[in-house]
Amino acid sequence: MSRNFVKIVLMLIRQSIPCELLSHPVLDQKQVVLQVLRLDQVHPEVSGNKFFKLRYNLQEAITQNHQQVLTFGGAYSNHIYATAAAAKEVGLATVGIIRGESLDSKNPTLSFAKSAGMSLLGISRTQYREKNHPAFLELMRQKFGDFYLIPEGGTNSFAIQGTREILSLSQSDSSHVLVPVGTGGTFAGIAASIFSHQKLLGISALKGEGIRDEITDLLRAECIQTKGSIELVTQYHQGGYAKWTAELISFIHWFWEVFKVPLDPIYTGKMAFACWDLLKKNYFPPGARILLVHTGGLQGNRGFTQRTGIVLPTPVM
Ligand SMILES: *Cc1c(COP(=O)(O)O)cnc(C)c1O
C-alpha cells in the first residue's frame, strides 16, 4: 500500500462521530439536555482525542520524510497505545520511551504497543525528567536512528490543529461543552472552535492549580482567542492524576448501567462525575444543552484492573 493511500485511510475513518442523547429523570427535572460525543468510537485502536492529536503529527512526519516517530509516556499511557497503532497504520516505525526502568511483560498497554511493532525503552524517573534535553535526544538518535519527535501526551501545534476539528464533527448545538484536561491540548483546540454562545468547561485530571498557567501559556503560544467562555474546574481530581476514590468507581458502574456508556477512571470518569455533581448543584441553567466529549482512554481499563483488581465496564475492543 502506498503511504499516501494509508495516510488518507487513517484520516477519513468514521468522519461522523456518534453523538448519543442520554435520558434520565434528573435531566428532565433540571430541564437540561445531555449528550455524549463518542470520540472513543472514532477508531478501534487510535481512540479518542489521541486520534485527533496524532493525525497532523503523522502527516508532518511523512511530509518531512521520516521513517520513524519517537514519543514518551507512562506504562499505561493512552498516547503510547494510540501512537503505536496509528503510526503502524501509516507505515511509520515507532519508539516508545517509557517512564520506569523495568517493563512489565504482562502490562496490556505495553504488550499491545509491542505487538504493533513499537520498540520500547524503559528509563528511570530521573532520566525521564531529562527526556527533552538535546543530549538525551541525541543519545536516542544514536540508539534508534532518525525520528520525528512527538512530545509526551502528544500536545504540540499539530495536535491542536487536530483537536480544533473535534467539535466540527458534532451535530449538536450545545450551550456547555465538557472535556477532561491532562496537558490541555484538547481543551485548547476546543476553546479555539467554540462559538460565542458556548461555554467550555475543562475538568482537570490533575491535582492543583498549576494547570491554569499551563493552559494560559498554551493558548497564548497557539494564538488562541476563544469566542465563547472557558473555565477550568480543578476540584474533581479525586486525589490526583491516576488516583481514584470508591465513589468514582461506583459512579462509573452506575453510568454504565444507566446509560450504557463506558468510562475510564483517569479522565472521562472524572469528567462525567463532575458533570453529574454540577448538575445536582444546579450549575447548569434550565434549557442548557450539555455535551460531554468522551475522549476515549478505555484501553487503560485493562491495566487499571491489572493494578487494582477492580473490573470496570469496558466494551470488547
Ligand atoms: C490524553 C487524554 C486526555 C487528556 O488530553 P490533553 O489534550 O492532554 O488534555 C483526556 N482523556 C483521555 C481519555 C486521554 O487519553
Side-chain angles (χ1 to χ4, degrees), residues 272-284:
F273 183 97
C275 177
W276 205 256
D277 193 56
L278 291 170
L279 184 72
K280 286 194 293 195
K281 292 175 174 159
N282 296 318
Y283 174 90
F284 302 105

Side-chain angles (χ1 to χ4, degrees), residues 191-229:
S193 64
I194 55 171
F195 295 107
S196 57
H197 66 282
Q198 295 181 306
K199 177 159 194 178
L200 172 63
L201 293 179
I203 313 299
S204 180
L206 292 79
K207 190 174 181 168
E209 301 296 316
I211 188 70
R212 295 187 189 279
D213 287 343
E214 274 177 46
I215 299 262
T216 307
D217 291 349
L218 191 58
L219 295 176
R220 192 172 299 140
E222 297 296 324
C223 302
I224 293 172
Q225 272 178 321
T226 186
K227 292 197 210 74
S229 62

